[in-house]
């Protein structure tokens, strides 16, 4: 396997970290070394921010929506032309099955194409307040935006955040997750083939978040920070960003309920329930980790769910037959197994509950799909984000009880309700305390649709029109036409 060496991108130039050190990126499937990237320090972050600030002030990017649209369209086309290469690098660094990696690359291209078109639709308003006096509200870019991306969906979440920031006229400094730096920088390498893209508009520095991420959050020349990550990281970023009063957009953790009534289309709900929790080995902020099931379905639906979970095929990420990959690291695996042990002590284990080691899986970080029945509401496996292939099933008798269970955590990122009775489904959906409430479907994460969190799941929205408007400031212009 070829080990690829990546570099930082600063002001249009690919370069090593100033300290000359690198970080190694290993495949979670077998521990093989797949990539190396710079171990950036504060000096590298400062230079990247300076380049972004220069480009914002000196290039016409902020005031040329046609250029932004053309450049983003060209980037999407380049990603499509290099789809298989990007998917392979993504699979090797995350361990996710190659088919899931292909899906993620396609999803990310969709975001770039959507915001390439949206770049030319940014609008304001005007009002004639009195004769000769016009009040105008104009949308303007924030300035320099720092984008910090996670390791679970590094390509999709890169473009979900960076594409609208660029479309709105901002310049960017990217800090990718250390574990998936290579596949993220591989997307940026495609900019070399787009001469119209002004140098310095997109910059990227790799390295540990405790170093470079902290610098970006506190940097006086960074005007906004956009983070997708865990609750503790979000809290730290928010606290640091407050020192310079920069805007912060945060999508944090989730503990999302998937409510299924007995009158639902169960044949449709079943595969969605399986995929909602076990895709990407459960490493997804919107993962449906809490199945809230009408009590009368326990003896019929639960055995079917168990059987489907046990059919999943773990294996090497590049195997076309694999549909269950490893979790990202030893640390993450140990954390998940700890939650599983706590679940065994307070609830009924339906399936799974152990590390997979047969047929060479012991070289990676594989966990059997795990299902628990009726843990108490205060159990850690119910209240805390596990970020692994662990599903809790809690039962209810009335819609009011279902709603209380669904809203019974400090998170509020996503949710779903299944019922043929649309009045009942909408009654629940409108009362779910979550930024997304899907009805008779799950995880419909589309470029056109806004997502985001209530409560401790964050603030602001990603996707759709709101996902671009958050990267703008509103300026009031008062124009006196009287001579």
């Amino acid at each position: 396997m070829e080990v690829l060496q990546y570099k930082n991108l600063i002001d249009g130039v690919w370069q090593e970290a100033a300290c000359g050190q690198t970080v190694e990126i290993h495949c979670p499937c077998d521990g093989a070394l797949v990539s190396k990237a710079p171990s950036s320090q504060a000096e590298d972050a400062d230079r990247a921010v300076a380049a972004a600030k220069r480009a914002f002030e000196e290039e016409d990017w902020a005031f040329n929506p046609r250029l932004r649209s053309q450049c983003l369209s060209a980037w999407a086309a380049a990603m499509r032309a290099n789809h298989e290469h990007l998917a392979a690098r993504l699979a090797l660094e995350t361990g996710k099955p190659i088919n899931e990696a292909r899906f993620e690359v396609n999803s990310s291209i969709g975001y770039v194409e959507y915001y390439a078109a949206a770049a030319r639709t940014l609008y304001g308003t005007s009002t004639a307040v009195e004769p000769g006096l016009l009040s105008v509200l104009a949308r303007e870019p924030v300035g320099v935006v720092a984008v910090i991306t996670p390791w679970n969906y590094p390509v999709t979440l890169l473009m979900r955040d960076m594409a609208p920031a660029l479309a709105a006229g901002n310049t960017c400094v990217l800090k990718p997750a250390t574990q998936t730096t290579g596949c993220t920088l591989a997307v940026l390498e495609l900019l070399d083939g787009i001469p119209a893209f002004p140098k310095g508009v997109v910059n990227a520095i790799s390295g540990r978040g405790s170093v470079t991420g902290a610098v970006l959050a506190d940097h006086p020349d960074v005007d906004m920070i956009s983070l997708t990550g865990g609750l503790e990281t979000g809290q730290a970023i928010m606290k640091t960003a407050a020192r310079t009063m920069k805007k912060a957009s945060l999508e944090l953790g989730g503990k999302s309920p998937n409510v299924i009534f007995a009158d639902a289309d169960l044949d449709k709900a079943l595969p969605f329930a399986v995929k909602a929790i076990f895709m990407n080995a459960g490493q997804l902020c919107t993962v449906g980790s809490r199945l809230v099931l009408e009590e009368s379905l326990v003896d019929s639906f639960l055995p079917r769910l168990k059987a489907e979970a046990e059919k999943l095929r773990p294996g090497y990420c590049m195997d076309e037959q694999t549909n269950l990959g490893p979790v990202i690291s030893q640390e993450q695996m140990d954390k998940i197994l700890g939650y599983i042990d706590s679940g065994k002590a307070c609830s009924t284990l339906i399936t799974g509950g152990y590390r997979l080691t047969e047929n060479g899986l012991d070289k990676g970080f594989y966990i059997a799909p795990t299902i628990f029945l009726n843990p108490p509401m205060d159990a850690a496996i119910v209240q805390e984000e596990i970020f692994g292939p662990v599903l809790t099933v809690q039962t209810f008798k009335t819609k009011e009880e279902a709603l209380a269970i669904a809203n019974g955590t400090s998170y509020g990122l996503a949710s779903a309700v299944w019922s043929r009775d649309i009045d009942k489904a909408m009654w629940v959906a409108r009362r779910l305390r979550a930024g997304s409430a899907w009805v008779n479907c799950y995880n419909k994460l589309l470029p056109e649709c806004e997502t985001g969190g209530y409560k401790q799941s964050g603030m602001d929205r990603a996707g759709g029109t709101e996902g671009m408007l958050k990267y703008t400031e509103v300026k009031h212009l008062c124009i006196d036409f009287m001579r």
Side-chain angles (χ1 to χ4, degrees), residues 60-101:
D60 67 344
W61 183 258
F63 298 98
N64 194 337
R66 181 171 296 178
L67 173 64
R68 301 198 298 268
S69 180
Q70 291 171 344
C71 287
L72 288 172
S73 294
W75 201 359
M79 291 180 66
R80 199 170 293 284
N82 291 272
H83 179 277
E84 197 63 19
H85 169 70
L86 297 176
R89 300 316 301 180
L90 173 60
L92 289 169
E93 291 191 1
T94 61
K96 67 179 59 181
I98 184 62
N99 287 318
E100 287 189 21

Side-chain angles (χ1 to χ4, degrees), residues 213-222 225 237 239-244 246:
V215 171
L216 295 174
D218 200 35
H219 204 293
D221 290 333
V222 171
I225 192 155
I237 290 289
K239 182 178 179 180
T240 303
R243 289 202 284 263
T244 51
K246 59 172 57 66

Side-chain angles (χ1 to χ4, degrees), residues 174-221:
L174 166 67
K175 164 56 185 77
T178 305
Q179 300 93 326
T180 52
T181 294
C183 63
T184 313
L185 293 179
V187 177
L188 270 60
E189 287 181 337
L190 301 177
L191 295 175
D192 292 349
I194 309 174
F197 230 115
K199 297 183 186 304
V201 167
V202 175
N203 306 272
I205 50 170
S206 65
R208 305 198 179 281
S210 58
V211 178
T212 52
V215 171
L216 295 174
D218 200 35
H219 204 293
D221 290 333

